[in-house]
């Protein structure tokens, strides 16, 4: 009787008996030219009430989605009521917050697979809706009502307060959250709008009247930029939007207030936030930045970030994690905002006994960016990383309209992304 050979062993015998596999370096592989890529263009329309709208038709699926950018942010909260933006229009709302909101209406949205929600971040707010095409006429008025006429019912306010207090009670459970919070406060000061945190007292001080006043101050159609994408006819959708927002008058003389300045309060140093119940350390180091995205140095900084911390090929990963084995996570970047400069920061997460060694290793790599500038190979690899992934800026219609809304919001040219690509290609 023939002896049975295990499958894996049989496979190994077949491989051994056959010809050896020839390996090629990736430089020796011939790749076909990529086909031309046509970028979908958004149509820009200004409604009579001042709302700017960007629209892109997409008939692949019977869906209609909208994303609104609102000129509001948590940085505008009163200092004694931090957390205000996270209550009313800033919470991920369901229609129960709108004048039309009822339990039955929420259940109706769930039954048709529709979504309506809002959120407020640090320097801007957002609202989102998505629905099947056939229910657009039903969901769009509700989306508009959430923006125009939030009801702020007391029971929803109480629920939001309870949830925020619960988050406060847990915020020291996560070492990473502690590190980033304390690092930001050292950069800008505990009282800075960019670093302060909600407390039980600031949450308790918030009442319905505060929410109404905050909404009335910022929520105006001429302070909203709307992106719309999906299965619709552009002219017909513009008519629907005009009708949905017809009762929302333009706020004459409105100008979005200037953002608070990002000034630093720290003179530098080493700061410790002990947490005795963990066996790992989170280390952050850095300083306030000076560069926005419209700065001439922005493109060079992007490539510098890639060389320093661009995934597996970055210097931090190669030297701190791979070669020295000091970290399970290591990162670094010089960030840049559209409206404000971002900080430079580098960080490492390591076991407690290697805290000092890991921190020194990261610091050395940061210093080497000045002492040993990137090689031609590092620059070439960094450019390839950016340029080869450039097409993914256009892989969804939402990305395109959201980017247009962002440029409109911050006053950037509509071809800023193309300018960015050209700028990266020129960096030496």
């Amino acid at each position: 009787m023939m002896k049975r050979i295990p499958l894996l062993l049989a496979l190994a015998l077949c491989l051994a008996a056959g010809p050896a596999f020839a390996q090629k370096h990736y430089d020796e592989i011939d790749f076909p030219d990529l086909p031309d890529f046509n970028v979908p263009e958004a149509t820009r329309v200004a409604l009579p009430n001042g709302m700017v709208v960007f629209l892109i038709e997409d008939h692949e699926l019977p869906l209609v989605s909208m994303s609104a950018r609102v000129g509001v942010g948590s940085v505008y909260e009163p200092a004694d009521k931090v957390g205000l933006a996270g209550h009313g229009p800033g919470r991920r709302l369901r229609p129960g917050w709108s004048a039309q909101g009822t339990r039955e209406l929420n259940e109706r949205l769930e039954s048709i697979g529709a979504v309506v929600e809002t959120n407020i971040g640090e320097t801007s707010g957002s609202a989102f809706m998505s629905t099947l095409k056939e229910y657009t006429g039903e969901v769009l008025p509700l989306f508009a009502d959430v923006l125009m006429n939030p009801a702020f019912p007391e029971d929803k306010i109480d629920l939001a307060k309870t949830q925020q207090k619960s988050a406060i009670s847990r915020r020291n459970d996560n070492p990473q959250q502690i590190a980033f919070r304390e690092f930001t406060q050292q950069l800008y000061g505990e009282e800075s709008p960019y670093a302060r945190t909600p407390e039980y007292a600031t949450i308790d001080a918030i009442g319905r009247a505060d929410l109404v006043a905050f909404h009335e101050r910022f929520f105006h159609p001429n302070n909203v930029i709307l992106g719309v994408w999906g299965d619709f006819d552009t002219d017909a959708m513009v008519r629907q939007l005009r009708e949905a927002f017809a009762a929302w008058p333009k706020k004459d003389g409105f100008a979005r207030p200037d953002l608070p300045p990002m000034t630093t309060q720290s003179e530098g140093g080493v700061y410790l936030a002990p947490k005795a119940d963990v066996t790992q350390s989170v280390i952050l180091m850095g300083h306030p930045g000076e560069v926005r995205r419209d700065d001439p140095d922005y493109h060079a900084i992007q490539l510098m970030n890639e060389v320093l911390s661009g995934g597996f090929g970055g210097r931090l990963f190669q030297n701190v994690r791979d070669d020295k084995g000091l970290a399970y996570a290591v990162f670094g970047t010089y960030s840049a905002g559209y409206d404000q400069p971002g900080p430079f920061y580098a960080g490492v997460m390591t076991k407690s006994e290697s805290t000092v060694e890991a921190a020194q290793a990261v610091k050395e790599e940061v210093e080497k960016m000045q002492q040993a500038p990137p090689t031609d190979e590092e620059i070439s690899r960094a450019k390839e990383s950016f340029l080869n992934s450039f097409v993914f800026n256009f892989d969804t219609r939402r990305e395109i309209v959201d980017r247009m809304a962002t440029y409109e919001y911050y006053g950037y040219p509509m071809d800023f992304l193309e300018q960015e690509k050209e700028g990266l290609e020129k960096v030496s």
Side-chain angles (χ1 to χ4, degrees):
M1 181 179 293
M2 185 174 181
K3 186 176 181 181
R4 185 175 180 180
I5 303 176
L7 178 60
L8 289 178
L9 178 58
L11 177 60
L13 291 173
C14 291
L15 290 175
F21 286 100
Q23 294 184 349
K24 281 188 176 183
H25 191 272
Y26 74 90
D27 286 339
E28 300 175 354
I29 302 175
D30 294 326
F31 294 99
D33 293 334
L34 293 174
D36 292 335
F37 177 72
N38 297 318
V39 179
E41 293 188 6
T43 300
R44 184 187 185 278
V45 176
L47 301 185
N49 61 6
M51 183 186 297
V52 174
V53 184
F54 292 93
L55 307 97
I56 293 184
E57 295 183 20
D58 181 7
H59 303 287
E60 184 175 358
L61 295 173
L63 298 171
V64 174
S65 301
M66 300 185 189
S67 177
R69 175 73 65 98
V70 186
V72 66
S74 61
V75 293
Y76 300 119
E77 297 169 329
D80 60 342
K81 295 180 181 179
V82 177
L84 173 65
H87 278 68
R91 194 165 172 266
R92 290 199 173 274
L93 310 184
R94 291 304 304 267
W97 285 85
S98 75
Q100 301 181 34
T102 64
R103 178 178 177 180
E104 291 77 15
L105 192 53
N106 281 318
E107 291 175 350
R108 171 61 178 165
L109 284 176
E110 292 177 359
S111 71
I112 62 176
V115 175
V116 176
E117 60 187 24
T118 67
N119 183 54
I120 292 181
E122 188 175 71
T123 60
S124 70
S126 64
F128 175 77
M129 68 154 274
S130 181
T131 182
L132 289 169
K133 175 183 178 180
E134 60 188 288
Y135 299 116
T136 304
E138 182 178 351
V139 179
L140 175 55
L142 178 60
F143 175 69
D145 191 59
V146 167
L147 284 170
M148 296 186 297
N149 306 304
F152 301 127
E154 293 287 356
D155 61 329
K156 299 293 184 181
I157 295 174
D158 291 340
L159 175 61
K161 286 187 174 184
T162 299
Q163 292 175 332
Q164 282 204 315
K165 288 182 177 180
S166 177
I168 292 173
S169 70
R170 300 191 307 271
R171 68 185 179 194
N172 288 334
D173 293 345
N174 187 322
Q176 297 178 39
Q177 186 177 353
I178 296 172
F180 276 96
R181 183 184 70 229
E182 299 299 322
F183 178 71
T184 303
Q185 290 182 350
Q186 290 301 325
L187 283 182
Y188 304 118
E190 293 183 13
E191 302 304 318
S192 168
Y194 302 98
R196 61 194 182 191
T197 58
E199 305 293 346
Y200 293 125
T202 65
I203 299 301
D204 287 336
I206 298 169
R208 183 179 182 278
D210 300 306
L211 300 175
V212 172
F214 195 72
H215 180 272
E216 290 180 350
R217 181 185 176 192
F218 292 101
F219 279 72
H220 311 294
N222 47 323
N223 195 31
V224 174
I225 301 168
L226 184 65
V228 187
W229 65 97
D231 189 10
F232 56 80
D233 173 77
T234 297
D235 292 337
M237 176 56 66
V238 171
R239 290 193 294 270
Q240 282 186 281
L241 294 171
R242 286 175 180 263
E243 181 179 351
F245 292 102
W248 204 12
K250 180 179 181 180
K251 180 73 171 179
D252 293 332
F254 174 81
R256 191 165 70 240
D258 293 335
L259 291 170
M262 299 184 89
T263 56
T264 181
Q265 302 295 320
S266 175
E267 296 181 356
V270 178
Y271 300 88
L272 305 178
K275 184 170 173 59
D277 58 343
V278 295
T279 59
Q280 299 166 332
S281 295
V282 180
I283 305 132
L284 294 173
M285 60 187 73
H287 55 76
E290 302 175 0
V291 176
R292 303 194 324 176
R293 296 195 179 203
D294 55 359
D295 190 286
D297 284 333
Y298 175 60
H299 307 117
I301 285 176
Q302 283 184 287
L303 292 185
M304 185 279 293
N305 288 336
E306 185 71 17
V307 171
L308 178 65
S309 187
F312 297 129
R315 291 184 178 185
L316 285 174
F317 186 95
Q318 288 288 331
N319 298 333
V320 180
R321 175 172 169 167
D322 199 14
D323 294 346
K324 298 180 179 179
L326 291 173
Y328 57 91
V330 61
F331 48 87
T333 187
Y334 198 130
S335 57
Y338 288 99
D339 51 350
Q340 296 271 35
F344 169 77
Y345 62 92
V348 59
M349 301 175 193
T350 186
K351 56 185 181 294
S352 297
E353 54 267 31
S354 60
T355 299
V356 175
E357 185 180 3
Q360 289 175 335
V362 172
K363 184 171 179 288
E364 288 172 2
E365 291 305 320
V366 172
E367 292 171 342
K368 284 180 183 177
M369 291 303 298
Q370 295 176 319
Q371 300 165 359
T375 64
D376 290 340
E377 182 181 356
E378 286 177 315
I379 293 176
S380 176
R381 186 169 60 241
K383 286 185 179 182
E384 286 183 3
S385 176
F386 277 105
L387 299 176
N388 290 343
S389 61
F390 186 77
V391 67
F392 296 113
N393 289 293
F394 310 96
D395 57 349
T396 69
R397 300 300 189 267
R398 179 174 186 174
E399 284 180 327
I400 298 172
V401 295
D402 279 355
R403 184 165 53 250
M404 297 297 100
T406 297
Y407 294 161
E408 179 86 18
Y409 184 81
Y410 292 111
Y412 279 62
M414 288 296 134
D415 65 343
F416 181 74
L417 186 63
E418 286 70 28
Q419 293 181 21
E420 186 176 356
K421 177 177 179 291
E422 294 172 1
L424 287 167
E425 291 172 334
K426 296 177 181 177
V427 174
S428 64

